[in-house]
Amino acid sequence: MTDSASVAATVDQVPSAYSPPPGTQPRTQPDNRASLHERFEACVVRFPDRTAVVAEDGRLSFAELDRRSDAVAAALAARGAGPETVVGLCLGRGTGLVVGLLGILKSGAAYLPLDPAHPSERLSYTLRDSGALLVLVDSTTVGRLPTGSDARALRVERLSVPSTTSGDLRALPQHPAGLAYTLYTSGSTGRPKSVAVQHGSLPRLLDALERGMLTGTPPGRVGWNASISFDASVQQWLRLFRGDTLVLLGEKTRSDPAELAAAIDAHSLTDLDITPSHLAPLLDHFSPAPGRTPCGCSSEARPSSPPCGPGCATWPPPAG
């Protein structure tokens, strides 16, 4: 879907005008920040053969990820997905998770993360409450969907086969006030509550990461450690849009400190976003040091001193 002439200077381009759904008006005017679509297209043009995604089921280059996510986006759009609609994402931690997520965003729809490990009651409630029209599944998760849901299940591995028509797809422009994704709280104080996030927040988050932690660093190899239903996952998969390679850590790897330490070395990770409580047992098997993987600690109360010493950063950075 990329056109080198149109995206060569993408970071300086203004996103195309957004047409809101009939009967609605955008709440803000488009800004001058390059959209995620434009940033991804720039990556595809600059380094199409660079590895974009690594997972237990294989790897994809930026060009392959572009083609497969185009196919998913075209299939979703043909089934009614578009701006201000919601598509569920209930997939294992394989390459299809990234293909599906990007395909949903390209279709103009918002994604609803559904962790296959969550109870069926929660999955049923969030699907119903979000009004999701469709939900992407794979061979490992199709049996996890609750019965009685109005959302139509679609196998991502069947949709992601490029066709002659999907190659002509142009990702819909993203208005900053448009819905990008919706997360649900844990529900510990009652029913889970929806938290809607706009498209404009995503480039701003990526820019904040760039300023706060990544200034001047070339594209690296980033471990995707968080669950898709956890808000920390966003700052991990967003790294793809600056040209980083995204390494999905499998469920068993994430939960076993020895396996996680081995994966850090095996994949030559340059960055790992991890909570302090998750990091502590890892340090029995792995010690960050200059020249090794920096650990970004976030999403929990910050300890008085970094738990891993040199090579460990906290996010957001301490004030002052």
Side-chain angles (χ1 to χ4, degrees), residues 1 37 40-41 64-83 85 87 89 96 98-110 134 136 154-163 165-172 174:
M1 69 173 282
H37 291 331
F40 182 73
E41 289 178 352
E64 290 170 329
L65 176 58
D66 187 44
R67 289 192 295 269
R68 294 195 187 191
S69 57
D70 276 0
V72 170
L76 292 176
R79 292 164 173 80
T85 64
V87 176
L89 194 64
V98 184
V99 171
L101 191 158
L102 186 54
I104 292 172
L105 294 177
K106 284 183 176 184
S107 76
L134 308 164
L136 294 179
L154 301 170
R155 294 279 288 269
V156 71
E157 62 267 34
R158 297 174 182 172
L159 301 184
S160 61
V161 179
S163 66
T165 55
S166 63
D168 296 329
L169 176 79
R170 288 295 180 268
L172 291 182
Q174 298 168 328

Side-chain angles (χ1 to χ4, degrees), residues 42 96 138 220 226 310:
D138 59 28

Side-chain angles (χ1 to χ4, degrees), residues 20-309:
T24 66
Q25 292 296 324
R27 285 167 283 182
T28 61
Q29 295 299 314
D31 64 10
N32 292 330
R33 183 174 289 107
S35 72
L36 289 187
H37 291 331
E38 292 169 325
R39 295 180 191 218
F40 182 73
E41 289 178 352
C43 291
V44 175
V45 169
R46 289 177 58 198
F47 25 75
D49 298 325
R50 175 183 290 172
T51 300
V53 182
V54 177
E56 292 178 351
D57 65 342
R59 60 183 61 214
L60 297 173
S61 68
F62 274 90
E64 290 170 329
L65 176 58
D66 187 44
R67 289 192 295 269
R68 294 195 187 191
S69 57
D70 276 0
V72 170
L76 292 176
R79 292 164 173 80
E84 305 306 314
T85 64
V86 176
V87 176
L89 194 64
C90 186
L91 298 168
R93 296 179 68 85
T95 54
L97 178 60
V98 184
V99 171
L101 191 158
L102 186 54
I104 292 172
L105 294 177
K106 284 183 176 184
S107 76
Y111 79 88
L112 167 69
L114 300 166
D115 191 326
H118 283 170
S120 59
E121 293 81 4
R122 177 184 172 90
L123 297 177
S124 179
Y125 174 77
T126 53
L127 278 170
R128 183 175 64 254
D129 186 69
S130 68
L133 300 173
L134 308 164
V135 56
L136 294 179
V137 296
D138 59 28
S139 60
T140 69
T141 64
V142 64
R144 292 291 302 129
L145 288 186
T147 58
S149 171
D150 292 333
R152 180 182 176 187
L154 301 170
R155 294 279 288 269
V156 71
E157 62 267 34
R158 297 174 182 172
L159 301 184
S160 61
V161 179
S163 66
T164 55
T165 55
S166 63
D168 296 329
L169 176 79
R170 288 295 180 268
L172 291 182
Q174 298 168 328
H175 187 274
L179 184 64
Y181 65 92
T182 181
L183 292 171
Y184 277 77
T185 62
S186 65
S188 57
T189 59
R191 283 191 178 277
K193 297 177 179 62
S194 172
V195 179
V197 178
Q198 299 174 339
H199 278 294
S201 300
L202 299 179
R204 286 195 291 271
L205 174 57
L206 185 56
D207 290 345
L209 290 169
E210 194 77 50
R211 291 192 304 270
M213 297 180 69
L214 307 172
T215 304
T217 60
R221 296 174 65 83
V222 181
W224 183 349
N225 182 42
S227 164
I228 183 66
S229 64
F230 187 34
D231 56 0
S233 68
V234 178
Q235 67 193 40
Q236 295 171 26
W237 64 253
L238 266 179
R239 297 283 297 274
L240 185 71
F241 293 82
R242 71 183 293 269
D244 292 321
T245 296
L246 199 57
V247 179
L248 280 85
L249 301 170
E251 292 293 351
K252 189 172 184 299
T253 299
R254 294 173 61 230
S255 60
D256 185 314
E259 285 202 18
L260 180 54
I264 290 172
D265 283 334
H267 293 293
S268 301
L269 296 188
T270 59
D271 302 82
L272 181 65
D273 186 1
I274 191 169
T275 60
S277 59
H278 194 183
L279 176 63
L282 173 64
L283 297 181
D284 291 334
H285 307 274
F286 173 80
S287 179
R292 299 198 70 183
T293 301
C295 296
C297 290
S298 62
S299 306
E300 290 180 353
R302 186 161 43 230
S304 57
S305 61
C308 55

